Amino acid sequence: NTDGTVTFTTTIVGKTIKSVSVTAAAGSTTPTVEIKVNGESWGTESLSKTSTTYTKTGNSSGEISITLDQNSAKKAVYLGAISVIYQ
């Protein structure tokens, strides 16, 4: 994306999402990661320069959206893993 953001989306049909974890690291900037479920923000975190797992919890269903925002810096962001716990 030309504005420095990328969004990953998926839907787990018929299940309740309990937690979403993203493992990521930043290069020389301070980008953010935002996790949304069904349009509701579960939180935004600033990425550190070392690989860190950011976990957000809730109780919702619908589309899962994970947005990495480089704040227009367009520097490296490293995505290691995405994990979803549901029931």
Side-chain angles (χ1 to χ4, degrees):
N1 192 332
T2 59
D3 69 356
T5 63
V6 62
T7 301
F8 303 93
T9 60
T10 191
T11 302
I12 300 175
V13 179
K15 301 293 181 183
T16 301
I17 310 303
K18 295 296 186 179
S19 73
V20 179
S21 299
V22 177
T23 302
S28 59
T29 62
T30 54
T32 58
V33 60
E34 181 179 25
I35 298 170
K36 291 182 180 180
V37 178
N38 200 30
E40 175 188 345
S41 179
W42 281 16
T44 302
E45 295 285 340
S46 295
L47 300 182
S48 71
K49 290 185 166 90
T50 58
S51 183
T52 304
T53 300
Y54 305 90
T55 300
K56 298 299 177 186
T57 59
N59 192 21
S60 191
S61 60
E63 182 180 79
I64 300 165
S65 172
I66 298 168
T67 301
L68 296 169
D69 185 352
Q70 297 175 321
N71 302 314
S72 300
K74 300 180 185 175
K75 301 288 183 178
V77 174
Y78 307 96
L79 179 62
I82 296 172
S83 174
V84 177
I85 305 295
Y86 60 88
Q87 75 179 127

